Amino acid sequence: MKKIIGVLIFAILSISSFAENGHNLWLRNTGNKSVNVVCVKSSPTLNIAKQELKQGWQGVDDASVEFRVMADKAIKGDGFKLSQNAIQANTESGILYGVYELLRRQQTGEAVSDAVINPSYELRLLNHWDNLDGTIERGYAGLSIFWRKGEDALVVSNNDKVLWQEYARANASIGINGSVLNNVNASPDMLTIDILNRTKAIAEVLRPYGIKAYLSIKFSSPSMIGGLKTSDPLDPEVIKWWNAKAKEIYSMIPDFGGFLVKANSEGQPGPQDFGRTHADGANMLADALRPYGGIVMWRAFVYTPSSEDRAKQAYNEFTPLDGQFRDNVIIQVKNGPVDFQPREPFSPLFGAMKKTTVMPELQITQEYLGQSVHLVFLSTMWEEFLKSDTYQEGVGSTVARCTDGSIFPQKHSAIAGVSNIGLDANWCGHHFAQANWYAFGRLAWNNQLTSGQIADEWIKLTFQQSLKEANTKDWTENFLNPVIQMMMESWDATISYMMPLGLHHIFAGDHHYGPGPWYAPKGLRSDWTPPYYHKADSIGLGFDRTPTGSNATGQYHEPLQSQFDDVKTCPEKYLLWFHHLPWDYKMQNGKTLWNELCYRYDTGLQQVRQFQKVWDKVQPDVDQERFVQVQNKLREQCRNAQIWKDACLLYFQQFSQRPIPYDIERPVTDLGALIKNDMGRP
Ligand code: GCV
């Protein structure tokens, strides 16, 4: 009898729990209808397009779809013209993107109407912070998919090729067309022949999917690996060295994309080491790449331990150089002026550099947002950022328009996301972190998309079992809607339990996971310690960036400058970013700043508890493997949110000397214990 019950339970479980490890991402579905593809040409890219369409077709059985690689003025760059029975594009990659669009629409139930669909940005890149030894800076999903240490470090195995191909396919399916293969804290060895050979092998796998390979380079490579005495960008021997290196690279990888450079930033070498400017350095490299069509992405993430507010330094350094860069140089600017914090106002460099191409750098890997433990849908953050109005060329000069070529004449337009991909079976460490990779690609393709739409698409592609299911009221009400809502609220929740009201950079140590508002070891430069940012004292909390403080508000175009300066008009989400306010400052809702802070921390924690309920309730609609993994992550997130709340409230209470409102759950941890245990990387 026991045996029979056991068999029955097993049978029921196997029906309901179709195991999935997440490796197939949003590309799990295969079609069940046949389609006839008409295409006069054959090429690796077109062959992939054909195969994808045949494999995923869920439209009318036996329909015909024609691929037309044919110029059309309405179609820009990688764009395409879509209809029920044809995909037309200027390029073969455009046909492939059209195929993925058609399939996505079929799978998500979106109508396929005649339309021309052009990308917002010409270059849509992932930046991998992967090191040659296989580790990944700020990577939380295992080791690198490109590099490894050991005897077989340079062997290109069949497994490597399969993985790179899967990676390329996933990227192409969301429109990504470039990958920077290594960390911006680059090893000079990247440019040695062995590594270039491996780069070539990677580039060959990516190429048919329309993806170009790029490399991060170390500015001092000429002296470190080239045997030169200097790396001065104006030195003729250095110029010759880079010219020869570019020639060598392009002889191996004819479609090589170009270089990404972190220079004179966080200890990396750069032109300033030789008394030269960022423009001197970037232009020298740009000239070396120009004959081959390559570009230089030069990062503006610069700050030094000076008396100047860190948030102001990049603007101070780069705006005087506006107009001095070659047209194949793009200045890559992080979304906020500090460093990928849970929430920042946009960097004032956007829109301010009017004669220089500027590209946004977003961080997909969740360095400051719970790494691979917390469920945080970053699309909402990026949407807020892209839609922020800089006012630089009048109302409507959003960051999106200032960077995508709608406002400023620019030869190129680009956007980059720091990848969250590693060797983990599900690629990203957390099943929901896949949604951030997906969202980045979708927003890079169309910077006007809403996060709601992106979440809707991603959930359908990632979790639904069949098209039939997607159309049922049950699945929509019981799974789709609650999960969308959870995702849409998740960023807000995280801000609340980590750093509400404009607080920023109050992490412990340098792992950037748990709270550490107290963290300030003797001798450490102050701009690497949280008290530099929160400035808690007996009077109040926050960084005064108005004219009475650092005057960072002066870097924003009116009316933003006045709006941020005035505490009454400053959006509350940025209040403590721009103002140092007394603990009893009255918020718009009438609460004191201290009380509001307490409620925000508590609300964030309660939201995560709610996410746990949402997830537990959707269990019948998720395979067992992914269900349990997400459930466990949510439990840990909840415990950690509690720690964030306790740590921050108990720490700030030492300054505010006020009680935590009595209707809020009390802290469950002691501050002393929190400080002693300093929450490390999970
Ligand atoms: C790649 C932050 C991160 C560093 C990162 C740096 C950067 O400081 O903590 O790990 O280095 O940003 O973007 O260059």
Side-chain angles (χ1 to χ4, degrees), residues 373 615 627-637 639:
V373 175
W615 189 250
F627 174 77
V628 170
Q629 284 169 5
V630 172
Q631 186 185 50
N632 287 337
K633 296 260 179 187
L634 279 168
R635 285 180 184 156
E636 192 173 350
Q637 180 177 356
R639 291 194 294 273

Side-chain angles (χ1 to χ4, degrees), residues 108 375-380 383 432 435-436 438 450-464 470 475-493 607 610-611 614-615 618 621-622:
T108 59
L375 188 162
V376 189
F377 183 45
L378 299 176
S379 181
T380 46
E383 188 183 343
F432 277 78
N436 294 329
Y438 182 86
T450 64
S451 300
Q453 180 180 336
I454 295 171
D456 178 276
E457 285 175 9
W458 178 79
I459 295 168
K460 286 175 178 164
L461 299 172
T462 307
F463 287 107
Q464 84 193 5
W475 190 78
T476 303
E477 278 175 11
N478 298 334
F479 188 83
L480 180 65
N481 291 345
V483 178
I484 289 186
Q485 195 181 337
M486 172 173 75
M487 289 172 74
M488 294 297 287
E489 288 173 9
S490 59
W491 174 48
D492 202 48
Q607 278 176 288
Q610 180 58 27
F611 299 161
V614 169
W615 189 250
V618 301
D621 288 306
V622 194

Side-chain angles (χ1 to χ4, degrees), residues 337-374:
V338 172
D339 188 10
F340 296 138
Q341 292 304 291
R343 174 181 254 142
E344 298 191 37
F346 68 87
S347 161
L349 273 170
F350 291 107
M353 297 198 58
K354 300 175 196 302
K355 289 178 271 174
T356 307
T357 304
V358 171
M359 66 189 280
E361 177 178 327
L362 307 174
Q363 195 181 41
I364 310 171
T365 190
Q366 292 167 236
E367 175 182 358
Y368 295 103
L369 280 141
Q371 302 178 2
S372 57
V373 175
H374 298 213

Side-chain angles (χ1 to χ4, degrees), residues 126-185:
L126 286 186
N127 287 185
H128 289 264
W129 285 358
D130 296 17
N131 300 310
L132 284 180
D133 66 0
T135 58
I136 303 180
E137 181 147 354
R138 312 302 178 187
Y140 313 103
L143 294 172
S144 169
I145 62 168
F146 299 123
W147 316 105
R148 60 175 163 258
K149 65 176 179 192
E151 275 173 15
D152 66 342
L154 298 172
V155 177
V156 177
S157 69
N158 203 41
N159 283 351
D160 285 336
K161 286 193 191 164
V162 169
L163 197 65
W164 298 339
Q165 190 187 358
E166 290 170 342
Y167 161 87
R169 177 178 181 235
N171 278 327
S173 76
I174 49 175
I176 288 169
N177 66 356
S179 296
V180 182
L181 303 176
N182 65 305
N183 192 353
V184 287
N185 292 328

